[in-house]
Amino acid sequence: MDKLAVLIPAYNEEQTIEKVVKDVLEVTQQIPETKIYVYDNNSKDKTVELAIKAGAVVRHEFAQGKGAVIRRMFREVEAEAYIMIDADDTYPVEAIPEMYAKIVDRGVDMVVGDRLSSTYFEENKRPFHNVGNSLVRWLINFLFKTDIRDILTGYRGFSFRFVKTFPVLSRGFEIETEMSIHATEKKMLVENQIVTYRDRPEGSESKLSTVGDGLKVLKTVINLYRGYHPFAFYAIFSVLSWLISFTLFITRVWVPYAETKLVDNMPSLIVSMILLVLGVIAFFSGSILNAIQTNDKRSFELSLISADERFRDTSK
């Protein structure tokens, strides 16, 4: 087991990968048993050759997508602590020792490299990315009652127990959102660490699609909220159905009936009853799923105990 594993997912990053690996090697000299892993995701340039030349251990993930790469990294690499950093040279490697210390000395499960509290909005030249980051941060902190200041950052530190109990479900860039929500919902210790951000060097292109990946992130947030808070999610539809049902019944059925003693709007009566039943179904669906989610939380706590035992056995 390594003391520290620095994980670098890479796809067509020949312009910056060598510099990133060398910078990481220099800043981690004081941390024994450190390895740098570059996981190539079907690069068509010289990313692999340059990473090997710089001193990294290069491995491959042939299923396209950052989520697929992270799934492979988390399965294969064994370490006491992990630092994940992008290969585009936008993050300061000088923050790695402090992030590592938080994990091994203070038992932090996830350290979030917070760009948004420093230079991100000045350095990033894509205004819609700025808006998207702020929107996703507000939405997740509001829905999940947390205080993660940079949801979409690719610069993070992880404990062994986080890496070995995190179920990677996403295939693309929405993986960072999934990590943030998972750590919050499983009551793991999360800390923010402010880091400076610099935009990509000229000639280096982002792999993110502002609209496409942004919609995937929002879809992921909704799906995870439904999964982690099913009662609250289905209660929204239940209450809406009941409100529309009662409004329709009173205005289109009850008020005319009080005047004429006749049910003149039979279709409205039928629709209001259908909505009432749908609201009841949504309410009890949320209740049942909430009970299942409670059992899942108990099972996860047991998996954490198993991960801790495995960590102690492996690190002996």
Side-chain angles (χ1 to χ4, degrees):
M1 175 179 284
D2 304 321
K3 288 290 185 183
L4 171 63
V6 180
L7 308 176
I8 308 176
Y11 172 63
N12 290 343
E13 298 287 1
E14 66 177 2
Q15 186 172 348
T16 54
I17 187 63
E18 187 174 8
K19 179 180 183 299
V20 171
V21 172
K22 288 182 177 178
D23 288 349
V24 172
L25 281 171
E26 182 178 353
V27 81
T28 57
Q29 286 180 354
Q30 304 304 317
I31 304 175
E33 300 178 51
T34 295
K35 280 187 182 178
I36 301 173
Y37 297 88
V38 172
Y39 272 75
D40 176 64
N41 195 207
N42 303 311
S43 295
K44 299 175 177 63
D45 57 10
K46 297 181 180 179
T47 296
V48 172
E49 299 95 302
L50 293 173
I52 294 173
K53 178 183 175 182
V57 176
V58 176
R59 294 179 180 175
H60 300 272
E61 171 54 54
F62 298 105
Q64 199 66 39
K66 189 172 184 180
V69 176
I70 291 174
R71 181 185 295 110
R72 177 75 62 182
M73 292 191 300
F74 282 9
R75 286 177 181 174
E76 293 183 351
V77 179
E78 302 278 327
E80 292 186 15
Y82 302 78
I83 302 293
M84 185 176 72
I85 187 170
D86 288 344
D88 54 11
D89 195 32
T90 57
Y91 297 110
V93 298
E94 293 77 16
I96 290 177
E98 186 177 353
M99 298 173 81
Y100 171 75
K102 287 183 177 181
I103 296 167
V104 298
D105 296 338
R106 301 184 56 244
V108 177
D109 290 302
M110 184 169 73
V111 183
V112 178
D114 174 19
R115 310 161 296 171
L116 305 188
S117 298
S118 60
T119 57
Y120 182 80
F121 294 109
E122 291 77 22
E123 287 287 326
N124 185 42
K125 305 301 189 296
R126 293 151 294 186
F128 288 110
H129 282 205
N130 296 341
V131 172
N133 270 282
S134 299
L135 174 62
V136 171
R137 176 176 63 177
W138 175 84
L139 182 62
I140 288 179
N141 287 334
F142 172 75
L143 290 177
F144 296 92
K145 311 304 180 197
T146 185
D147 186 32
I148 298 178
R149 297 173 192 163
D150 191 348
I151 302 296
L152 302 178
T153 179
Y155 195 12
R156 296 171 188 255
F158 306 106
S159 66
F160 179 88
R161 70 202 302 260
F162 178 92
V163 166
K164 298 306 178 182
T165 59
F166 173 58
V168 181
L169 303 178
S170 302
R171 290 288 296 272
F173 286 99
E174 62 272 25
I175 185 66
E176 284 94 355
T177 303
E178 191 178 324
M179 288 177 175
S180 301
I181 295 174
H182 173 80
T184 298
E185 285 299 314
K186 299 307 181 183
K187 295 180 174 55
M188 292 187 170
L189 181 56
V190 180
E191 289 193 2
N192 300 289
Q193 179 167 328
I194 297 176
V195 297
T196 57
Y197 174 87
R198 51 182 177 265
D199 205 7
R200 282 174 169 265
E202 187 175 352
S204 176
E205 296 183 0
S206 173
K207 313 305 184 298
L208 280 168
S209 168
T210 303
V211 176
D213 287 311
L215 291 175
K216 288 179 182 178
V217 168
L218 291 176
K219 179 183 176 182
T220 299
V221 172
I222 293 171
N223 285 335
L224 290 173
Y225 186 72
R226 181 187 61 186
Y228 285 121
H229 298 278
F231 184 77
F233 180 84
Y234 286 99
I236 295 172
F237 295 97
S238 180
V239 170
L240 286 175
S241 295
W242 286 340
L243 286 176
I244 297 172
S245 173
F246 292 149
T247 302
L248 188 62
F249 179 79
I250 291 172
T251 58
R252 298 285 295 167
V253 179
W254 180 258
V255 172
Y257 176 80
E259 295 176 354
T260 64
K261 304 302 179 183
L262 296 172
V263 180
D264 295 325
N265 298 309
M266 186 61 68
S268 297
L269 175 61
I270 294 173
V271 171
S272 66
M273 292 300 101
I274 291 174
L275 289 172
L276 180 65
V277 171
L278 289 176
V280 172
I281 292 173
F283 178 83
F284 282 104
S285 296
S287 299
I288 294 169
L289 291 172
N290 189 66
I292 295 173
Q293 175 64 13
T294 301
N295 288 330
D296 287 343
K297 289 178 180 179
R298 294 192 184 100
S299 298
F300 181 78
E301 289 301 318
L302 294 176
S303 72
L304 284 182
I305 295 173
S306 298
D308 290 339
E309 291 176 350
R310 179 184 169 191
F311 174 76
R312 287 191 293 268
D313 292 341
T314 309
S315 59
K316 285 181 180 178

